[in-house]
Amino acid sequence: MAPSPRATPARAVTFARHGRGTSSASFARARRRWEDARATSGRWARATSEAATVSTSTRVRESARAGDAALAVARRFAEVVRLGSTIALVALDKRRYDELGRAVGALGPAYAKFGQALASRGDIVGRDVARALMDLCDDMEPFDDEAAVRVVEEELGVESPVAAAVRDAGPPVAAASLAQVYKATLDGETVAIKVQRPGIEAVVDMDAALLRLGASAVERTGKVKAKALDAVNEFCSRLYEEMDFRREAANLTQFNALYGENGSASKSFPKPGIRVPRLIDTYGVGRRVVVMEWIDGEKLTRGRDKSVSADDLHYVKLGIACTLSQLIETGVMHADPHGGNILKLPNGGLAYLDFGLVSTVPRQVRDGLVAAIALLIFSRNYAAVGRLFGELMLIPPEVLEDESEMRELERALEDAAEATLKFPENGGVPDVRFDQLLGALLALVPRFKFILPPYFLNNARALGTLEGMAKSADPDFNILAVVYPYAMTRALANPDESPVIRKVIRQLATDPTTDRLSLRVLFKMLRDVSRLTGASALRVAVDALARREGRRLLLDVLAREFRNILDSIRRLRVRPHR
């Protein structure tokens, strides 16, 4: 079969040059140990940290014994420098912006991922740059079709019908940094076959080693308090996860059970809601090949500037609502929702694609997010937010037990909020640009030794990506106007009976002038949620009262008000007569 007309020999060489050499066996052994560590570890954070360490430093150490790893890393470094200089020249010349995506993509998957993260942030890098980087999502140069067939045969067998389907499919319909997708037919059904680029494992191995060396050098200078090596470990761990399509198949099955047509969380969204492709594993799933149901739809981003039409803003809002459900309700989060991974459907629904990056957010952290949002916006209680971080074990004991440090943290949180949140004079939800808020909070990480969960940056990037898409459709879009009422509705109902949320919602319902629970303050919360969601205050109240925790909150507030009345009566009785 002839190569795809868009494929170029130079592109194939870029990825194949670091293909299966003498060090690949040791790298494969390291990757297997990484997978074992990830599968058997009881703690996500430790597993991912060990994973990245095994998949980089151990690989390099073992290969060095064979005498080829150091040379391979040096060659890769020279190539990165050469290609990086090309990117710099392109970035400095607006007339060459159309070449930017291809130039970044030529560096390989590790660097392409950074480019993808910026592709939806035209408000940060500028629309022209963002548009050019969007090519990294699904419009990169494809590799040779025969090479794709060989990958399928190596993974699923020479006689596999999947290999025949790829051979008959024609050119790929999409090509990204890790893989390309074919629209094919299997057993009379239209399917999507995702095939990994040949040779990228060794490219990522070298880049992971380089990134670790760079991070170690930065830390040794002592001028940066942030744990650069931990950040690199997390990034590399996620990249290796994404390269194992067996993991993607498991992620897809789990996500479908939650957000698919009959998923347990699908009722949270108005019909037609969210669509998730069905995994097709009849002929097996390979480490580099996965087959799923084909979904017909259109890209959410379109046009020369790769923006979202104002008419399509409701699709992005649906995506944000689904992301909040993942982040706060279910804890299973699609962490890579860029313009190439979500489709608008003819019936008004939204389809999610590409499940290589799916994070698991623990219940404790989900509850903490709800509580922190409510405290930060409704009451601006920065001291309570600081204490909450301690309860969630996001700051170490030496900071938590130091009163002066906690006061400093409170002041730093207040400064960060004042610098990034613009509260309206008449009250309500502040305007914010998510990337600025995130940047201000991340600046506190080294100062107060925050212990960030390994999924934190990916999940923050997912929400930031959707915010960027929404702002391309509506520059005045305020993501907090969506996030805040969602969090408050969740806090009022407290459906999982979280003790953290129970404590915080009572703090919020307390009148600061009397330090007692107040029906007036509770009604103010209901009005806030009502105004922002468009639902009546009565509807918000009924939804909260449908949950036991909501009823318990109301009873506690009413009991406090009744005691207030009794106290007032007693004071009247003992008042001396004149």
Side-chain angles (χ1 to χ4, degrees):
M1 181 179 181
S4 167
R6 294 176 59 195
T8 62
R11 183 66 188 166
V13 169
T14 300
F15 284 99
R17 185 180 300 150
H18 302 285
R20 306 185 185 284
T22 56
S23 63
S24 61
S26 58
F27 285 166
R29 287 194 298 273
R31 182 175 286 106
R32 283 195 295 273
R33 283 196 297 277
W34 173 81
E35 290 171 350
D36 290 341
R38 172 67 179 85
T40 58
S41 173
R43 298 188 62 185
W44 178 277
R46 186 177 66 231
T48 51
S49 178
E50 291 173 354
T53 303
V54 168
S55 58
T56 54
S57 60
T58 300
R59 292 162 182 251
V60 173
R61 186 165 56 250
E62 289 188 358
S63 298
R65 295 192 186 107
D68 66 337
L71 181 59
V73 171
R75 286 175 175 170
R76 178 58 178 160
F77 177 72
E79 183 176 35
V80 169
V81 171
R82 178 178 60 82
L83 293 173
S85 63
T86 300
I87 293 172
L89 290 174
V90 171
L92 291 172
D93 186 352
K94 289 186 176 182
R95 295 169 300 178
R96 300 181 62 188
Y97 274 1
D98 286 344
E99 304 172 34
L100 189 58
R102 185 175 301 176
V104 174
L107 278 173
Y111 303 97
K113 288 297 173 183
F114 287 117
Q116 286 179 3
L118 295 174
S120 296
R121 300 310 316 233
D123 54 320
I124 300 175
V125 298
R127 284 201 168 193
D128 291 338
V129 172
R131 177 194 60 76
L133 292 175
M134 279 298 295
D135 291 343
L136 294 168
C137 297
D138 60 359
D139 197 24
M140 291 178 63
E141 292 291 341
F143 57 91
D144 185 78
D145 295 334
E146 282 301 326
V149 172
R150 286 194 295 274
V151 170
V152 176
E153 290 176 343
E154 290 171 8
E155 293 292 322
L156 304 180
V158 176
E159 301 299 325
S160 171
V162 179
V166 171
R167 186 176 287 110
D168 296 336
V173 295
S177 59
L178 290 180
Q180 61 193 33
V181 176
Y182 293 87
K183 182 178 182 181
T185 303
L186 273 173
D187 296 331
E189 180 180 5
T190 304
V191 299
I193 302 176
K194 185 176 178 180
V195 184
Q196 191 173 112
R197 288 184 180 274
I200 63 168
E201 293 172 338
V203 175
V204 173
D205 288 337
M206 295 299 100
D207 288 338
L210 286 174
L211 289 170
R212 276 184 60 85
L213 288 171
S216 297
V218 168
E219 288 191 353
R220 281 196 297 271
T221 65
K223 295 181 179 180
V224 178
K225 294 182 180 181
K227 296 182 178 179
L229 195 56
D230 286 351
V232 168
N233 284 346
E234 178 189 342
F235 173 76
C236 293
S237 294
R238 298 296 169 267
L239 189 53
Y240 281 119
E241 283 184 23
E242 197 173 359
M243 288 166 58
D244 189 343
F245 291 176
R246 296 168 300 184
R247 185 177 303 280
E248 177 169 0
N251 291 341
L252 173 55
T253 300
Q254 182 184 31
F255 201 86
N256 208 331
L258 291 169
Y259 295 101
E261 185 176 1
N262 299 310
S264 58
S266 61
K267 295 179 181 178
S268 302
F269 313 102
K271 294 294 183 182
I274 303 299
R275 176 88 180 273
V276 182
R278 184 182 79 260
L279 175 68
I280 299 174
D281 56 359
T282 308
Y283 302 104
V285 177
R287 185 170 52 84
R288 297 180 293 161
V289 180
V290 65
V291 183
M292 62 191 74
E293 171 192 12
W294 178 267
I295 294 181
D296 282 312
E298 295 181 41
K299 291 181 183 179
L300 198 50
T301 54
R302 62 185 182 181
R304 179 174 174 79
D305 60 356
K306 302 288 186 179
S307 62
V308 176
S309 165
D311 294 335
D312 291 337
L313 181 60
H314 67 282
Y315 287 106
V316 184
K317 290 183 177 179
L318 177 58
I320 291 174
C322 188
T323 296
L324 290 174
S325 171
Q326 297 162 42
L327 184 60
I328 292 174
E329 292 183 16
T330 65
V332 177
M333 184 164 180
H334 188 299
D336 196 22
H338 59 67
N341 285 345
I342 48 180
L343 300 176
K344 61 176 184 176
L345 305 179
N347 63 1
L350 193 71
Y352 275 77
L353 308 176
D354 193 349
F355 295 85
L357 276 180
V358 173
S359 300
T360 301
V361 186
R363 165 65 60 196
Q364 178 182 355
V365 175
R366 285 181 267 153
D367 294 342
L369 284 170
V370 171
I373 292 168
L375 287 168
L376 192 63
I377 298 176
F378 183 79
S379 66
R380 306 190 207 181
N381 191 336
Y382 306 110
V385 174
R387 291 193 297 271
L388 179 65
F389 288 156
E391 292 176 18
L392 295 175
M393 295 180 292
L394 295 179
I395 51 178
E398 61 264 30
V399 174
L400 184 61
E401 295 167 5
D402 188 326
E403 292 185 8
S404 64
E405 279 291 271
M406 290 302 293
R407 285 194 296 270
E408 284 295 319
L409 175 59
E410 178 184 350
R411 282 193 287 269
L413 287 170
E414 185 172 1
D415 290 343
E418 289 182 354
T420 57
L421 302 178
K422 297 179 181 178
F423 284 90
E425 292 183 2
N426 58 349
V429 178
D431 191 17
V432 66
R433 206 171 80 182
F434 185 77
D435 64 287
Q436 290 182 343
L437 177 60
L438 180 61
L441 294 177
L442 286 177
L444 306 182
V445 170
R447 167 67 180 82
F448 297 99
K449 302 177 183 178
F450 273 81
I451 305 167
L452 292 182
Y455 43 78
F456 178 84
L457 292 178
N458 272 329
N459 294 351
R461 186 183 69 128
L463 204 54
T465 296
L466 287 167
E467 183 203 30
M469 295 170 67
K471 280 187 172 296
S472 73
D474 177 10
D476 295 326
F477 178 79
N478 182 5
I479 195 167
L480 279 186
V482 180
V483 173
Y484 173 64
Y486 189 97
M488 288 298 293
T489 301
R490 181 84 178 174
L492 286 167
N494 194 9
D496 297 313
E497 302 187 5
S498 161
V500 172
I501 293 180
R502 183 183 303 134
K503 176 182 176 181
V504 166
I505 199 66
R506 279 157 179 75
Q507 287 179 330
L508 295 176
T510 296
D511 187 335
T513 61
T514 62
D515 200 29
R516 293 177 176 180
L517 289 173
S518 164
L519 198 60
R520 177 185 61 80
V521 178
L522 182 60
F523 282 162
K524 181 179 183 301
M525 282 193 281
L526 292 175
R527 289 195 298 270
D528 268 9
V529 176
S530 170
R531 184 177 70 254
L532 292 166
T533 60
S536 67
L538 178 61
R539 178 74 265 169
V540 175
V542 168
D543 288 344
L545 291 173
R547 301 284 186 173
R548 184 169 64 176
E549 282 289 304
R551 295 192 294 272
R552 183 185 296 180
L553 171 64
L554 179 60
L555 288 174
D556 287 349
V557 172
L558 290 176
R560 180 68 266 178
E561 292 286 358
F562 183 68
R563 287 196 294 272
N564 290 343
I565 293 173
L566 290 179
D567 290 344
S568 298
I569 292 174
R570 291 192 190 97
R571 284 194 296 271
L572 286 173
R573 286 179 175 177
V574 300
R575 181 178 298 175
H577 295 286
R578 297 193 177 190

